[in-house]
Amino acid sequence: MKSNFYLRVSSALKAFLMIVIFGVASSSYAMEYSSIDSAKSQITFTSKLMGSKISGGFGKFSGKISFNPDEPEKAKANLVIDIASFNAGGDELQEEAKGKDWFSTKLFPTASYATDSVKVTGSNSLDIRGTLTIKGKTVSLLIAVKYQPHGKQMVFDANFQVLRLDFGLGAGNWADTSAVANEVPVNVRLVLNQK
């Protein structure tokens, strides 16, 4: 009787240990990426001003991101962009962009993007639906994203278009789309570190 009892206890302990070992092993393979490598990440854009192409970007942004390549459809992101870090053209243009007719940075110092849903569209590609808020105005935005591992990091690339007038960017004479294009192509590269 005793030997049967000890045999059952021993078997139960072995089963428990196997569950623990496999649980730890499987969780170690489920890598999560969350912190932004700000030195390698960038948000850039192009625009047309008086028929000339202007390129620029935002030098400062941060956010909370959760991405597991084993479950990409569960990805979440909330990015905050420091509008005062706007950089395009010369000093005069940058000051104009920060004024009330454009970004009005004193009233609206940040812009933000938050994910609502994520759909896997192919190998290492996603459609991310979310909301972009600039100057107090929020617009739904669908962004196609490509991602790939690079060493211990995960790199995300996205290209999409923003309509500046949707956000009230460019009031008065600046609202004329023959002077400043309404369509603003945006490129985002996010490089994330493992959690």
Side-chain angles (χ1 to χ4, degrees):
M1 290 288 290
K2 279 189 175 181
S3 62
N4 286 339
F5 172 76
Y6 287 125
L7 187 61
R8 286 198 300 271
V9 170
S10 176
S11 297
L13 282 173
K14 283 180 182 178
F16 175 74
L17 287 173
M18 290 298 284
I19 290 169
V20 171
I21 290 168
F22 279 112
V24 171
S26 63
S27 65
S28 67
Y29 286 109
M31 293 293 182
E32 186 171 319
Y33 299 82
S34 58
S35 63
I36 299 173
D37 187 331
S38 56
K40 295 179 182 179
S41 300
Q42 58 183 4
I43 298 175
T44 59
F45 61 86
T46 56
S47 183
K48 283 187 179 179
L49 173 62
M50 307 298 183
S52 298
K53 183 179 177 181
I54 290 181
S55 298
F58 294 92
K60 293 182 182 178
F61 54 92
S62 58
K64 294 180 179 179
I65 298 177
S66 174
F67 180 78
N68 180 343
D70 291 338
E71 298 177 310
E73 70 283 355
K74 294 184 179 180
K76 291 183 179 179
N78 195 326
L79 297 177
V80 178
I81 303 160
D82 181 354
I83 297 298
S85 70
F86 173 92
N87 184 1
D91 292 341
E92 187 176 342
L93 179 60
Q94 290 184 55
E95 284 305 309
E96 180 70 34
K98 294 172 187 177
K100 63 179 182 178
D101 287 343
W102 287 91
F103 287 104
S104 191
T105 55
K106 288 184 179 179
L107 290 176
F108 306 99
T110 62
S112 64
Y113 178 81
T115 56
D116 291 326
S117 63
V118 178
K119 180 182 178 182
V120 177
T121 56
S123 177
N124 290 22
S125 61
L126 309 168
D127 273 353
I128 300 179
R129 187 173 294 279
T131 52
L132 178 63
T133 302
I134 302 175
K135 205 176 177 179
K137 295 178 173 61
T138 299
V139 173
S140 180
L141 195 62
L142 179 64
I143 302 175
V145 178
K146 293 282 188 181
Y147 66 92
Q148 61 180 353
H150 190 269
K152 292 185 177 181
Q153 296 180 312
M154 190 68 71
V155 180
F156 296 81
D157 286 296
N159 305 298
F160 56 95
Q161 184 172 267
V162 170
L163 301 178
R164 66 177 179 88
L165 293 179
D166 285 352
F167 300 96
L169 298 175
N173 293 334
W174 293 115
D176 182 0
T177 56
S178 65
V180 183
N182 188 30
E183 301 82 5
V184 181
V186 179
N187 301 306
V188 176
R189 166 162 283 206
L190 286 180
V191 180
L192 302 184
N193 298 313
Q194 289 178 8
K195 188 174 181 181

